[in-house]
Amino acid sequence: MNIANKTVLITGANRGIGRALVNEALRRGAKRVYAGRRSGELQNADDRVTPLRLDVTNLSQIQRAVDQVDNLDVLINNAGVAIYDDLSNSDAIEQHLSVNFLGMFKVTRAFLPLLQRSSGAIVNNLSLVALAPLPVIPSYSISKAAASNMTQSLRALLAGQGITVHGVFLGPIDTDMNRGFDIPKASTESAARGIFDGLEKGEEDIFPDPASQSIAEGWRTGAAKALERQFAAFVPERQ
Ligand SMILES: NC(=O)c1ccc[n+]([C@@H]2O[C@H](COP(=O)([O-])OP(=O)(O)OC[C@H]3O[C@@H](n4cnc5c(N)ncnc54)[C@H](OP(=O)(O)O)[C@@H]3O)[C@@H](O)[C@H]2O)c1
């Protein structure tokens, strides 16, 4: 899918990767960019940007956002939280699941009618930790694994409706989220370019940065991917 002249909605767009995705969508000629934000201000003077108040855990805000959007080609589920924990209680798991998994689910369900009309695309920002947990952020890892699994089911379930579903397996990107983690990180701008490049090439799994690219080939030719395809064949032709 080419982004030029398309309408794109990005959650968590006020900072980090979300903000870079807004700028990259504009650079590629998007007709309108809906920039969802839970808090903070959006600093973008481009009149193609429409800010939306959108906490992905808040059903009435989600419904209000749907009412403000006339048509939609690409939904980018980017909003996320990451908190250090050690699996000593369930609070951290619930907190991560509520934003990174259920938030993604609720926003996707709400915008589905618009995406059905446009034969659009859903892009879910996941993480390499969806494939193997980083045990210093185990609850975050669980939530991304759940979101990845949901991405695979939605891909199979929505294929018959002409909607494509893409998972983005991000490696470390230089944002507030991993500020205390002293490892090489890619810039938000390069990650945003990688995500749209993958979408424009029609890649169902997108590896947008050097760390993620190092496992792309292994993932695409591996047993888990083969099983995903085998299981997807159980979905009736027209869901
Ligand atoms: N940075 C990395 O290394 C990395 C790696 C792999 C995957 N990712 C994923 O990439 C995505 C973006 O991360 P980032 O690095 O850009 O993080 P970030 O700089 O911490 O930004 C997170 C964004 O999500 C928003 N958000 C959090 N809870 C929300 C909610 N309930 N409703 C709506 N928005 C909410 C935040 O809004 P507020 O400003 O209101 O808090 C902020 O805009 C996340 O899904 C993250 O898991 C990041």
Side-chain angles (χ1 to χ4, degrees), residues 23-45:
N23 292 331
E24 186 60 24
L26 294 171
R27 205 181 65 75
R28 290 180 189 230
K31 183 167 64 185
R32 169 109 350 248
V33 180
Y34 290 98
R37 73 187 199 287
R38 170 179 65 167
S39 64
E41 287 309 313
L42 279 167
Q43 286 145 1
N44 200 308

Side-chain angles (χ1 to χ4, degrees), residues 11-19 36-40 54-58 61 77-82 98-100 103-104 125-129 140 144 168-179 183 185 188 209:
T11 63
N14 57 309
R15 60 192 173 98
I17 298 165
R19 182 163 59 192
R37 73 187 199 287
R38 170 179 65 167
S39 64
L54 182 52
D55 180 331
V56 301
T57 65
N58 183 321
Q61 278 189 24
N77 285 305
N78 166 73
V81 288
S98 142
V99 179
N100 300 350
M104 182 181 276
N125 274 357
L126 308 168
S127 164
L128 287 181
V129 308
Y140 174 78
K144 289 296 184 182
V168 183
F169 293 95
L170 287 146
I173 313 297
D174 190 11
T175 70
D176 298 336
M177 185 169 277
N178 57 21
R179 205 49 85 210
I183 47 167
K185 298 169 197 166
T188 54
D209 56 87

Side-chain angles (χ1 to χ4, degrees), residues 43-97:
Q43 286 145 1
N44 200 308
D46 195 304
D47 62 10
R48 290 173 292 161
V49 176
T50 303
L52 287 179
R53 176 68 66 186
L54 182 52
D55 180 331
V56 301
T57 65
N58 183 321
L59 276 180
S60 53
Q61 278 189 24
I62 294 174
Q63 191 48 53
R64 237 174 292 141
V66 171
D67 294 341
Q68 287 173 259
V69 175
D70 295 332
N71 57 73
L72 186 64
D73 297 299
V74 183
L75 168 66
I76 305 187
N77 285 305
N78 166 73
V81 288
I83 303 151
Y84 288 92
D85 79 307
D86 59 3
L87 290 185
S88 54
N89 69 66
S90 60
D91 292 354
I93 300 178
E94 285 177 21
Q95 208 175 341
H96 284 92
L97 286 177

Side-chain angles (χ1 to χ4, degrees), residues 97-131:
L97 286 177
S98 142
V99 179
N100 300 350
F101 172 60
L102 286 172
M104 182 181 276
F105 169 77
K106 289 171 187 168
V107 170
T108 301
R109 289 302 317 176
F111 283 99
L112 214 43
L114 290 175
L115 293 166
Q116 280 161 338
R117 239 169 42 203
S118 63
S119 297
I122 299 167
V123 178
N124 290 339
N125 274 357
L126 308 168
S127 164
L128 287 181
V129 308
L131 305 178

